[in-house]
Structures are given as C-alpha cells and as structure tokens.
Amino acid sequence: MGLTMELNNLKDAFDRVAKKQKLSCSKVQEVMDQIVQEIEKAIEMMQSTTLDHKSILAELKKKLHEIAPLAQLEGTQKELNIALSKYPKALEKTLNPDISKAYRNIEFDSHTVNQIIASHFYRQGMFDVGDCFITEAGEAGAAAAMRSLFQEMYQILEAMKSRNLEPALKWAAANSDKLKENGSDLLLGLHQLQFVKILQKGSREEALKYARTNFVPFAGNHMAEIQKLMGCLLYSDRLSESPYAHLLSPTNWDIVAEELTRQFCNLLGQSYQSPLSVTIAAGVQGLPPLLKFMTVMAGKKQEWQSMKQLPVPVELDKEFQFHSIFVCPVSKEQSTEDNPPMLMSCGHVLCKQSINKMSKNGSKTFKCPYCPSDVDAPRCRQLNF
C-alpha cells in the first residue's frame, strides 16, 4: 500500500512536469507564429511596394519589440524549470539508488543461482543469451538437459503462434496420463482449437471426421462442450456470425498456450513462473520497508547481519505467499526452525519457546491460554506445515 502510494505520487510529479512542458512548448509555438507572421508581412511589403526598405525594417523591429518574445516565454519557462528541479528529488526520494545498506552477507549457492538465471533465459526462448551466460559462469555441463527441455516447449509455443497445433497435440498425447492425473483438460482444449480451425476452412466433413476420431474419450466428462462444437457444424460457412462466434477468439489460443506452459513446467518439476522474475518482483515489494528500517538503524548494522528473521513486517501480495506461516498468539513472533509451532493436547498451538516459558522448561503443567485444559509440555508435538 505504501509503495503504491509513493509510486502514485511519483507519477503525479511526472504528470506535472509533462503538463508544464506541454504549456511551455505551446507558448513557444504561439510566439514563433507571431514572429513569423510579422516577418512575412514585412517581406510581402518589400516585394510589393517601392517604399524604403529601411523604414519597413524599422517597423518590423518595432513590432518584434512589442511582441516581446522573451517576456512572453519567461513565465512558462520558469514554471517548467521549477517542476523539472523538483522531479529528480522526488525520484531520488522514492527510488533510493543505494540499496546496499539492506544487503546481508549470506552465502549463496552459486550453482543454484546460475541455474535459475539460465533457466529464466531459456524460458523466454533466449537460448543464445542463456548459452553465453552458462559458458561464462562455467556451468556448461549442467545446461544441456535444461536447454533441450525448454527448447522443446518454446518450439511448441512458437508453432502455436503460427496456428500449427501438431507439435502441441503430439506432446499432449504422449503425456495424456500425467495430464489426467493433474486434472488438466489441455488435450481436449487442443482438439477443440484444431476442430474449429478445420471448420474455418469450410471442410464440414473433415471436421466431423476429426470430432469422431478425437472427442470420444472426453464424452463422459465434457459432453456439454462437445455438443457446442457439434452445433458449429450447422454454421460452417458463417461461423463468425453464429452463436458460436466466441470460439474464433484469439483469446482461446492464449488460454490453451498458457495451460500448456503450466503443465509442461509442472511435468518438468519446474514452477510455472520464472523463479528469477518472482524473486525480483517480491524483492521490489519487500525492499522499501527494509531500507527504511536500515536508515533508522544505521548504527546497528552488525545486529542486522546476525538477525535470523526480518526485523520489520514485510507485506507481500498473495501471489508471493507460497506456504503457511505460524505466528505464536502468546509471543506474537513468527515460528522458526529453532522455535517451531507445537500442538498441545487440547488441540491449540503455541510456539515452543512460549510453552517452555509457561511450563518452566517442562517442570510443571500450565493452563492453555485459549481453554481451561491443563497442558503437559512433554506431551506437546511439533507441527510441520
């Protein structure tokens, strides 16, 4: 919320600069038009009259002096300069160029990081860039398998962009059992696209033959969708004007391509979204509160380096929440490996340190904070989310 507000303020500042610049340009154009008009009048007089040119030029000089271009432009230019001088300050305030103060000396598994970066390039179809990175990182041996897998996916998606479904259908058919286990209707979606594509060419008999060959296995669970497709046969020559015109939408291809990408990555044991993209996007959200914290704690950098959990709450959007967390209702602290959540005999949960404190390190029973049950610390069991 805070980051959104800051970005909105930055956008407002930019809009003010753009508005002032537009007004300034408009004023410049207006003044230039006045000057050009007077000069053209003077030239016309010099060409059509026998009057002394000096007098005409003197009159032109008088007119230009009355126009006073510098005086007219001064006001709008001054306002533009003020807006321009404020904007870099707003940029610097919102987009802090120095993020090193929020950095921690953590040992990274360079091999894993390199794999993630290379994987990102391969996912985008940037195979030459990925190969170059892998070579320079000295990870060439581990890259071949990763490259070939994503190259197959990219070739399938590129073929779909050209409205060629054969590679996608071949892959989906070869992995139909796994797709069925995942609850995916990808194969049916591909057959639907192919059916409509055939029908668009005006070949009703060929479309019907394709339907009889490929839709039978899906009839049990998808009869309604198949019936709609059969209805299309009545409008083969005017499908775009039929009740089934929505089946021609390019969006249908995008949806199936997205599902194919999702399932392809799933079968590879990879996440649908690039881990690198997710990490950077989450970091963009999480960095501002950490920078503010480090500004306040400027003299305690050593404490920051030794902390085992974040010292301030960092709110991330739902798409970045991949697993459950537990906050102890007694200590108000998030559970950690050293302080895991513990299930008590009554069914309520507290963190281990809270239980140890309330039980005097297991030397006595204590009352559950949520119910009148007596709790025996040794009988508590660790929970794993």
Side-chain angles (χ1 to χ4, degrees):
M1 186 69 178
L3 179 60
T4 302
M5 187 177 296
E6 288 181 355
L7 292 177
N8 286 336
N9 292 337
L10 192 60
K11 181 180 181 299
D12 291 341
F14 176 81
D15 290 341
R16 284 194 293 272
V17 172
K19 184 179 179 180
K20 297 295 183 184
Q21 188 177 37
K22 189 175 181 181
L23 287 172
S24 179
C25 290
S26 178
K27 190 63 178 177
V28 169
Q29 188 62 49
E30 179 187 337
V31 172
M32 290 298 296
D33 288 343
Q34 291 176 5
I35 294 173
V36 169
Q37 186 178 2
E38 293 300 330
I39 292 175
E40 287 178 346
K41 282 182 181 180
I43 293 173
E44 186 177 347
M45 287 181 65
M46 293 170 70
Q47 291 175 344
S48 62
T49 184
T50 57
L51 291 174
D52 184 16
H53 289 182
K54 288 184 178 181
S55 62
I56 296 174
L57 292 174
E59 183 65 21
L60 175 60
K61 182 178 180 181
K62 180 182 177 183
K63 290 284 186 182
L64 294 179
H65 184 72
E66 290 174 357
I67 292 173
L70 292 179
Q72 286 196 58
L73 297 175
E74 185 178 5
T76 54
Q77 188 62 39
K78 185 177 181 180
E79 291 178 2
L80 174 59
N81 290 340
I82 291 173
L84 282 172
S85 65
K86 289 181 178 179
Y87 186 61
K89 296 176 182 177
L91 271 176
E92 187 174 345
K93 182 179 178 182
T94 305
L95 306 177
N96 193 325
D98 181 18
I99 63 173
S100 61
K101 57 188 176 184
Y103 173 75
R104 292 184 63 178
N105 295 322
I106 298 174
E107 289 186 9
F108 285 101
D109 181 348
S110 59
H111 172 71
T112 301
V113 173
N114 290 337
Q115 293 291 304
I116 290 172
I117 296 173
S119 171
H120 176 80
F121 289 133
Y122 291 146
R123 282 169 180 266
Q124 307 301 316
M126 302 167 67
F127 297 103
D128 290 341
V129 178
D131 289 345
C132 180
F133 172 80
I134 283 292
T135 301
E136 292 185 5
E139 300 278 356
M146 188 196 313
R147 186 189 198 283
S148 62
L149 291 172
F150 281 115
Q151 190 166 26
E152 181 185 3
M153 182 183 78
Y154 189 76
Q155 288 171 345
I156 293 172
L157 293 174
E158 284 297 298
M160 288 186 67
K161 289 179 182 178
S162 302
R163 297 301 186 253
N164 177 12
L165 288 167
E166 291 303 322
L169 283 166
K170 184 178 178 181
W171 180 85
N175 294 279
S176 59
D177 292 339
K178 294 177 181 178
L179 292 173
K180 192 178 296 183
E181 289 176 7
N182 292 341
S184 174
D185 297 324
L186 174 62
L187 187 56
L188 174 61
L190 290 167
H191 282 312
Q192 287 177 331
L193 292 177
Q194 186 75 336
F195 173 83
V196 173
K197 180 184 173 184
I198 294 171
L199 200 58
Q200 271 186 288
K201 295 178 180 178
S203 181
R204 184 184 301 178
E205 291 183 4
E206 188 180 344
L208 181 58
K209 181 181 177 182
Y210 186 87
R212 286 172 174 168
T213 304
N214 296 287
F215 288 155
V216 174
F218 305 100
N221 298 322
H222 301 279
M223 182 56 72
E225 292 98 317
I226 294 173
Q227 287 175 340
K228 288 180 182 179
L229 293 170
M230 294 303 98
C232 293
L233 294 170
L234 300 173
Y235 302 91
S236 60
D237 55 344
R238 49 194 173 92
L239 193 57
S240 61
E241 301 170 2
S242 73
Y244 308 104
H246 63 278
L247 294 174
L248 298 176
S249 173
T251 305
N252 297 321
W253 287 78
D254 295 337
I255 292 172
V256 174
E258 183 178 341
E259 176 64 11
L260 186 143
T261 304
R262 189 183 301 275
Q263 294 303 323
F264 200 105
C265 291
N266 184 289
L267 296 187
L268 290 179
Q270 300 280 337
S271 61
Y272 166 61
Q273 293 181 308
S274 164
L276 184 62
S277 297
V278 173
T279 301
I280 291 175
V284 167
Q285 286 193 15
L287 192 57
L290 291 178
L291 287 172
K292 287 182 179 179
F293 172 78
M294 289 310 300
T295 300
V296 175
M297 302 287 289
K300 299 184 179 180
K301 190 170 183 179
Q302 193 59 39
E303 290 185 20
W304 165 236
Q305 295 292 341
S306 60
M307 288 178 180
K308 294 185 177 180
Q309 64 183 48
L310 294 177
V312 290
V314 176
E315 298 294 335
L316 297 179
D317 292 341
K318 287 186 178 180
E319 63 262 31
F320 302 122
Q321 298 175 13
F322 300 102
H323 57 82
S324 301
I325 61 171
F326 176 74
V327 177
C328 179
V330 174
S331 65
K332 309 300 183 187
E333 293 180 351
Q334 185 174 319
S335 61
T336 63
E337 291 184 4
D338 296 331
N339 186 27
M342 305 291 290
L343 178 67
M344 298 183 291
S345 55
C346 59
H348 292 115
V349 181
L350 300 177
C351 273
K352 185 176 181 179
Q353 290 179 2
S354 297
I355 291 176
N356 288 341
K357 186 175 181 180
M358 297 173 73
S359 67
K360 303 294 183 183
N361 290 324
S363 63
K364 68 171 189 174
T365 59
F366 62 95
K367 291 283 185 183
C368 171
Y370 285 96
C371 67
S373 301
D374 288 325
V375 178
D376 186 13
R379 294 180 59 192
C380 296
R381 295 290 177 264
Q382 182 174 328
L383 283 180
N384 295 295
F385 293 127

